[in-house]
Amino acid sequence: MAEAGFRLAAQERRPLQDALSHAAQVTEARVGFALSTAEGSVPEAMLYAVGGGKALRAFLALESARLHTISPVKAAGAAAAIECIHAYSLVHDDLPCMDDDAMRRGQPSVHAKWDEATAVLAGDGLQALAFELLVQAECSPRARMNLVVSLAHAAGVRGMVGGQAADIAAETAGTPLDLEQITTLQAAKTGALISWSALVGPRMAEAEREPLANYGEALGQAFQIADDILDETGDAKQVGKAVGKDRVAGKATFVSLLGLDGAKRRAGQLVDDACDALSPYGEDAETLKEAARFVIARTH
Ligand code: GRG
């Protein structure tokens, strides 16, 4: 039973894998429809870049909306928007001027399948499309404005772009970061989009944000530690991209700083923190708790 002050979700809760597939379908349908009147290799590459992922961020958006009795139809624009921003970041991150990865999600990355110019433009197009889709979120004008400004903030120089820039600067300088620095960097680079996704529901409903803000923050950090563990121990075929690059580059990661066991312990503690943060929502938040456990158990 949820605590007083937290509204029970109206739609039935789906198990995690079902909810993730639903989030992927919602995203691909919205993006596909938006691109249906565009022609050429750039929209084709945009659609390709959005497909084939876990749709974790879209899932978080739809699930946090569900906890605030907001239907998937009303939240679909926000769910598709965050996947577009995420896809753009991966397309650009894979470019030769950044991480130079020829594989993504087990398939050729966009610049490898088309060319660099198409990949740059597909990323740019996805970023613009994200905001076109986001304004389709069905909520009050004030809540919609809050979604737009907060997404621009999370994706920009005080969020993902800032984190990526700090990461590149540290690598160029050749001075490995300490634990506090890497935590701050990753909170911006990957945590900001994950936190934003978890806050779609309270933002659309103009409700209390603290529980889902705490959940998103802990989940984002657990996600990054799990990513570092996968990079260290995962199999390239299963992960769907090259692994072990951070170690070869001598980059500081949660694994290099905490050790493999220490990183696993820290990730487990963060998952517990993420689940505890959801207690005001009671059993209704069980799928979000499943997602937190999945994030550190995943193999890709
Ligand atoms: C290029 C502006 C710009 C930013 C890039 C997020 C990022 C910043 C780069 C990605 C590098 C990377 C692989 C980071 C690890 C965390 C991460 C975002 C992993 C991929 O996310 P998943 O596992 O991927 O949710 P899928 O494929 O399932 O969507």
Side-chain angles (χ1 to χ4, degrees):
M1 182 57 103
E3 267 176 28
F6 284 85
R7 293 157 70 196
L8 286 174
Q11 296 91 39
E12 211 164 291
R13 190 173 68 76
R14 295 167 191 258
L16 180 63
Q17 287 309 324
D18 188 9
L20 285 169
S21 323
H22 177 243
Q25 282 164 18
V26 165
T27 301
E28 285 178 41
R30 285 280 166 141
V31 174
F33 182 73
L35 294 175
S36 59
T37 48
E39 280 174 19
S41 56
V42 173
E44 205 187 315
M46 289 164 70
L47 199 53
Y48 174 84
V50 164
K54 294 182 288 297
L56 176 70
R57 293 155 190 79
F59 153 79
L60 292 171
L62 295 178
E63 196 59 21
S64 78
R66 192 187 64 79
L67 286 181
H68 291 85
T69 66
I70 296 165
S71 71
V73 170
K74 288 188 172 165
I82 192 65
E83 286 296 325
C84 284
I85 295 283
H86 171 57
Y88 123 67
S89 79
L90 299 181
V91 171
H92 282 190
D93 188 63
D94 288 338
L95 284 167
C97 62
M98 296 217 197
D99 229 22
D100 195 9
D101 268 313
M103 294 295 283
R104 169 70 59 185
R105 296 172 172 168
Q107 302 289 331
S109 46
V110 171
H111 71 273
K113 189 170 165 73
W114 282 272
D115 51 49
E116 282 183 46
T118 305
V120 170
L121 292 172
D124 293 343
L126 282 165
Q127 177 157 215
L129 180 59
F131 289 95
E132 181 185 325
L133 293 170
L134 183 56
V135 294
Q136 294 170 10
E138 292 180 41
C139 51
S140 75
R142 196 172 76 161
R144 195 176 302 118
M145 182 62 80
N146 189 291
L147 284 173
V148 168
V149 172
S150 57
L151 182 58
H153 194 280
V157 285
R158 286 150 296 174
M160 180 180 72
V161 167
Q164 176 81 341
D167 201 6
I168 293 170
E171 205 173 344
T172 308
T175 33
L177 303 176
D178 63 25
L179 192 57
E180 198 185 323
Q181 289 169 319
I182 207 123
T183 304
T184 305
L185 186 155
Q186 294 299 356
K189 183 177 156 184
T190 55
L193 292 196
I194 289 177
S195 287
W196 185 89
S197 310
L199 283 170
V200 162
R203 282 210 161 98
M204 287 185 74
E206 297 181 81
E208 171 63 47
R209 287 187 211 152
E210 197 182 342
L212 281 162
N214 291 339
Y215 169 82
E217 198 182 317
L219 182 73
Q221 216 189 110
F223 180 92
Q224 188 54 52
I225 296 176
D227 205 73
D228 286 354
I229 294 172
L230 270 182
D231 190 63
E232 189 67 31
T233 62
D235 166 68
K237 217 165 170 191
Q238 207 169 19
V239 176
K241 59 173 185 165
V243 292
K245 288 178 77 173
D246 290 346
R247 186 166 21 85
V248 171
K251 262 176 86 170
T253 68
F254 287 105
V255 173
S256 73
L257 292 165
L258 297 171
L260 191 53
D261 288 344
K264 284 182 182 167
R265 267 197 306 279
R266 176 97 187 102
Q269 181 57 53
L270 285 159
V271 167
D272 290 346
D273 294 348
C275 293
D276 289 349
L278 296 173
S279 59
Y281 293 101
E283 281 183 16
D284 238 355
E286 197 46 49
T287 309
L288 282 178
K289 292 184 188 172
E290 243 189 284
R293 292 189 285 266
F294 163 76
V295 151
I296 59 162
R298 69 200 164 96
T299 53
H300 63 285

